[in-house]
Structures are given as C-alpha cells and as structure tokens.
Amino acid sequence: MASLLNSVPSIKLSNFNYNNPLRSSQISFSLSRRRLVVRATETEKEAKAQAPDKAPAAGGSSINQILGIKGAKQETEKWKIRVQLTKPVTWPPLIWGVVCGAAASGNFHWTPEDVAKSIVCMLMSGPFLTGYTQTINDWYDREIDAINEPYRPIPSGAISEQEVITQIWVLLLGGLGLAGILDVWAGHDFPVIFYLALGGSLLSYIYSAPPLKLKQNGWIGNFALGASYISLPWWAGQALFGTLTPDVIVLTLLYSIAGLGIAIVNDFKSIEGDRAMGLQSLPVAFGSEAAKWICVGAIDITQISVAGYLLGAGKPYYAFALLGLIAPQVFFQFKYFLKDPVKYDVKYQASAQPFLILGLLVTALATSH
C-alpha cells in the first residue's frame, strides 16, 4: 500500500514547476502526502524488523534445510524436503537418551551385538519416531506456520498433502516395527519396547492433533514434549539391556521438567501465530519476560534437585559433577537467552544443551552403580 501511495506524489513532485508560484497549493498537498508515505514506509520497515522469520534469508543454507532449522534454502528435490520435515536437528537428544538408558542398565557391553541393538534402538527413537512426531506436528501446524513461517514445506506447497500423510504412516509403522524387532532380539516375554513406542507415538499424536492438542496448554504440552525427549528413549534403552525400575522412572520424569524448559525455548519464535490460533504457550500466557524466567528456572532447578537426590543417595562425586555442568548452562542463559530468546535461541541451545545432555549421562551412570 505504501509503495502505491509513494508512486503518486513522486510523479507530482517531478512535474512541479518551481518557477510558478501559482501552484503553491499543490506543493503543500504533495509534501503532505510525501510525509504520509515516509511514515508508512518506516512502519513497514519496523514491522519487518520485528518479524525476521517471515521469509527465508536470501541464499539460505543447504545444511539448515537438511537439518530442518530456520535460514534454510528453498528446495525442490522431494527427498530433501522429506528429510527437512523430520527435522534431523531434533534427533540427537533422543539418540542420547538411548545411550543414557543403556548406561543406566549396567548391562551394556561393547560387543558387536549390543552395539547393533543400540543402533537399531537409536534409529527407532530418532529418524523414525522423532521424524514421525515432527512431520505430524508440521501437518497440524500448517495454519500456524502459514502465519509464522509461510515458506516452510507444507504451507508453501513444496510437498503435497498426500505425500505428507504417506510419510507420517511410513515413519510410524517403521518405528513400531523396529520396536517389535528389538523386543524379540532382547528376548522379552512382554513387548515393553513396542508398548513404549506405541505410547510415545500416541502422545505425539495428541500433542499435535485436535481435539486434545496438548500443545494448546503451555504447561501440559511442554511437559509431554520433555518426557518424550528425555524419559521415553531412556526407558527404551534401559529396557533393551536391563530392567526398568520405579526409581529410574521417577527420576527421568523429574528430569522431564528440564525438558519442559527446553521446549519453552522454541515457543518464543511462534508467539504471533500461537496467539492468532488461540494456543496458550507460556510466552503467550505470561508474556515473554516472565516466560524467560520460567524456562531457565525449570531447567536449572530440576538439575539442582537431581544433584541433591544423588547427594542424598550417597553419590557425592556424581552430584558435584552434575553441579559443575549446570554452571556453564547458567552462564549461557545470561549471555544469550535472557537477552533475546528469539534472536539467540539457536546460539543458546548450541552452547548450553551439550552440558545438559552430559548431565543426563552423569545421572545415568550414577543410577547404574
């Protein structure tokens, strides 16, 4: 609209005869219109500055595209688009969860068979079931993404609806199939891994899909997400090589509160779309400033509580090691996240999360001894 207005007064000014004083009234009108145009243009620039994610950066990154993160290059090759929908950048926490579960079991050995079992479990947890989760989430978020990130594969039309639905089913059935194979391989009388995979898949569905759509509530949705990323792969890895115990179940569910905090980090970039669609994410419900502190509090207090549990259980070395890993996370929270959770979300997660997942391994090793 501003550009249309801009063309009109520009023509008048260029045709104006500055030597003819009889046209002074036209000067006043044209300059007035020009000022209006300048203000409109500045408003547009301001709006664009506040919404940097509305369009992909020129010459986006191919690596970002494959990983499924912002700043991605626009692709037309279907296999790359399919991989992008699964968001491989989200796989490592699930794969690490399997490692932690195997370590917590105390029965993992560096034999070819145990390594092969763990790799299959990682494939189930990461590419298949996390890929399923991310794809179905993008499917049910297509209307929100049309507001927040209209260039993403589904709202942009880069992949058809039928192709997305086919991908969802292939990943789901593939993941459940691998879970069944692992139960047989581990010699389970009860298919515990299959039921964990089935339960996690159901949780992923009700997280994203109506009528429940757990993500509509910031607390419930983010805790469900945290449990999916921390507890479920840990349980699968431990069940594959050992036995799940009640204390480990409680401890990992407690750790899932830290996962809730991690999930909140991703909510800040979607405030506009979440508000428009009536989703009560924590940044929408409490405002960005309060949500920042809820986020870091959930992450830090949870880990401090786990360190206290380990100290009380007579494992002081593990407790102090965990506390040592919390310190750099707090540093990066103040350096990046608390300054600007939208601008620095990727830097913060890349800097702080390695210490959090190392803390998970420390806790897993503590429970195995």
Side-chain angles (χ1 to χ4, degrees), residues 9-30:
S10 296
I11 293 170
K12 290 182 179 179
L13 286 169
S14 62
N15 294 333
F16 174 69
N17 184 353
Y18 289 93
N19 296 319
N20 186 353
L22 296 177
R23 301 184 66 181
S24 59
S25 61
Q26 187 173 351
I27 299 173
S28 175
F29 176 75
S30 297

Side-chain angles (χ1 to χ4, degrees), residues 174-191:
L176 294 176
L178 288 177
I181 290 171
L182 287 170
D183 278 318
V184 173
W185 200 348
H188 291 158
D189 294 327
F190 179 81

Side-chain angles (χ1 to χ4, degrees), residues 3 78 86 114 125 143:
S3 60
K78 279 293 165 64
T86 66
D114 280 4
S125 300
E143 293 180 359

Side-chain angles (χ1 to χ4, degrees), residues 234-319:
W234 181 316
W235 295 349
Q238 186 157 346
L240 181 60
F241 295 102
T243 304
L244 274 177
T245 56
D247 60 325
V248 167
I249 292 173
V250 171
L251 189 62
T252 50
L253 286 175
L254 176 62
Y255 237 121
S256 296
I257 298 174
L260 178 150
I262 296 169
I264 297 172
V265 174
N266 296 314
D267 288 338
F268 286 91
K269 64 184 179 183
S270 304
I271 292 176
E272 182 183 346
D274 289 348
R275 185 180 289 116
M277 300 302 297
L279 300 183
Q280 287 297 303
S281 66
L282 295 186
V284 171
F286 293 95
S288 294
E289 194 62 30
K292 287 192 299 187
W293 290 100
I294 293 172
C295 175
V296 299
I299 294 171
D300 298 341
I301 294 172
T302 297
Q303 293 179 90
I304 292 169
S305 300
V306 172
Y309 167 82
L310 295 177
L311 189 62
K315 299 174 181 179
Y317 296 114
Y318 291 103

